[in-house]
Amino acid sequence: MIVLFHSPKGGVGTSAVAANLALVLAERGVFVTAVDLTGQGALALCLGDSSGVIDRSRQAEGDAAMIVAGVRVMAPGADRTAAEIVAAIQSHEDEDGDGVVIVDIGSGDRHALDLLLPLAALRLCVLTPDPAALAALPLVYRDVQATRDDRTFFLLNRVDDRLRLGRDIATMLRGLLGDRLLGTIRRDEAVGEALAMLETLASFAPASAALADFRAIAGRLVPERADTAQPERGIA
């Protein structure tokens, strides 16, 4: 299952959300590949990668991907053609169909989004409850309505009900998005602190409110079967 992470606005935490969802899925034993198409390396950094942190001993021979915190990470590079990017992503899908490929796309890269959307099971658009993100919403919603796209869902990041403006905008977005809102992630300083320490959120702050939110969203992306530990595809 290929899941695209993209937002019309930068700075909303798309890479951090994609990385943390990859981590909690891998924590459950799901075969996860994380693909960074931003060209900034933010996805690997959010997974805890820096020089020397990648476990190169677990790199498969001839494989362009590395293992970081149980997640296979690959960055096709800016010099790859569209066909090469697609082939690289498809090559990392799990053979039994239970794996998840998470693709982090830069906010301004509409070409990559259009290229990969036909292959994706889901597109997750990350927003924050602030006026700028609210103003960007029509850019996505108009496309969804025009193409009758049933694969685009939204995640609301950095929600803080203690702030009146943020609380009001979050309430407005919940009403506007309805069933297309897949989940919300509470503002939690532990997310940034774990990143600064190059640790996973689960190891740095196991009681993190945001971690609980990531796990709830991951459970909707890949529900656990009642009779087995193996994940199944779909959204609850």
Side-chain angles (χ1 to χ4, degrees), residues 12 85 103 197:
V12 297
I85 291 174
V103 187
M197 297 298 292

Side-chain angles (χ1 to χ4, degrees), residues 110-163:
R110 183 58 192 251
H111 173 68
L113 178 64
D114 290 341
L115 176 71
L116 296 175
L117 192 56
L119 304 176
L122 291 172
R123 171 198 177 186
L124 296 182
C125 178
V126 180
L127 298 173
T128 48
D130 58 62
L134 186 61
L137 179 61
L139 298 176
V140 181
Y141 213 74
R142 184 168 54 243
D143 287 349
V144 170
Q145 296 286 31
T147 61
R148 297 186 178 181
D149 177 15
D150 61 355
R151 289 170 294 181
T152 295
F153 290 82
F154 296 83
L155 295 173
L156 195 54
N157 192 28
R158 301 172 186 161
V159 174
D160 189 345
D161 287 338
R162 297 171 299 177
L163 304 175

Side-chain angles (χ1 to χ4, degrees), residues 15-199:
S15 295
V17 170
N20 277 287
L21 285 173
L23 287 168
V24 297
L25 286 171
E27 172 185 82
R28 283 173 36 195
V30 179
F31 181 86
V32 183
T33 297
V35 183
D36 187 351
L37 295 184
T38 68
Q40 300 174 346
L43 187 60
L45 182 64
C46 291
L47 289 167
D49 168 37
S50 68
S51 298
V53 172
I54 293 179
D55 184 358
R56 298 179 186 276
S57 66
R58 294 177 63 188
Q59 181 182 4
E61 184 177 355
D63 194 346
M66 303 290 183
I67 303 298
V68 182
V71 177
R72 182 172 294 194
V73 185
M74 59 176 290
D79 58 341
R80 293 288 190 96
T81 66
E84 287 174 331
I85 291 174
V86 170
I89 290 173
Q90 289 179 319
S91 72
H92 287 278
E93 289 190 89
D94 195 15
E95 290 183 359
D96 62 11
D98 286 332
V100 176
V101 180
I102 286 177
V103 187
D104 186 19
I105 302 174
S107 59
D109 193 351
R110 183 58 192 251
H111 173 68
L113 178 64
D114 290 341
L115 176 71
L116 296 175
L117 192 56
L119 304 176
L122 291 172
R123 171 198 177 186
L124 296 182
C125 178
V126 180
L127 298 173
T128 48
D130 58 62
L134 186 61
L137 179 61
L139 298 176
V140 181
Y141 213 74
R142 184 168 54 243
D143 287 349
V144 170
Q145 296 286 31
T147 61
R148 297 186 178 181
D149 177 15
D150 61 355
R151 289 170 294 181
T152 295
F153 290 82
F154 296 83
L155 295 173
L156 195 54
N157 192 28
R158 301 172 186 161
V159 174
D160 189 345
D161 287 338
R162 297 171 299 177
L163 304 175
R164 186 174 63 181
L165 179 59
R167 182 175 65 245
D168 290 346
I169 292 176
T171 299
M172 182 185 301
L173 286 170
R174 289 186 182 102
L176 287 172
L177 298 174
D179 292 341
R180 285 189 179 270
L181 182 61
L182 188 65
T184 61
I185 302 141
R186 285 166 284 185
R187 180 182 290 276
D188 188 345
E189 289 185 352
V191 176
E193 291 168 349
L195 175 60
M197 297 298 292
L198 287 175
E199 293 186 31

